[in-house]
Amino acid sequence: MRRIYFLVPNIDIAHKVVKELHHEGIDDGHIHVLAKRDTPIEGLPEEGISIKTDFISAIERGIALAGW
């Protein structure tokens, strides 16, 4: 899996980046927007619980270490 991260200075630019990603054919399932607590990000695809907690990669690391 390949990931590209963008750090933007404000929510308006985040909306522009997401709009451009949509224009390039990337759907919301592949876009995750993170923001500081209490930052309103209505209308932007939010991160899921696995992104917030790094849950999936923690499980992968656990499986890899258990099998070693």
Side-chain angles (χ1 to χ4, degrees):
M1 177 181 356
R2 195 171 60 179
R3 293 183 183 180
I4 299 172
Y5 296 89
F6 295 94
L7 181 63
V8 297
N10 59 51
I11 203 71
D12 293 330
I13 294 177
H15 278 281
K16 289 177 184 177
V17 169
V18 169
K19 184 177 179 180
E20 184 63 28
L21 291 170
H22 286 155
H23 179 73
E24 292 298 321
I26 300 170
D27 63 48
D28 282 350
H30 297 285
I31 302 171
H32 308 285
V33 175
L34 299 168
K36 290 190 303 187
R37 188 180 314 248
D38 299 325
T39 300
I41 58 172
E42 292 89 16
L44 293 172
E46 293 187 48
E47 76 285 351
I49 189 69
S50 64
I51 300 298
K52 284 182 181 178
T53 63
D54 200 25
F55 180 71
I56 299 299
S57 58
I59 288 176
E60 290 170 347
R61 285 191 305 271
I63 290 171
L65 291 174
W68 187 67

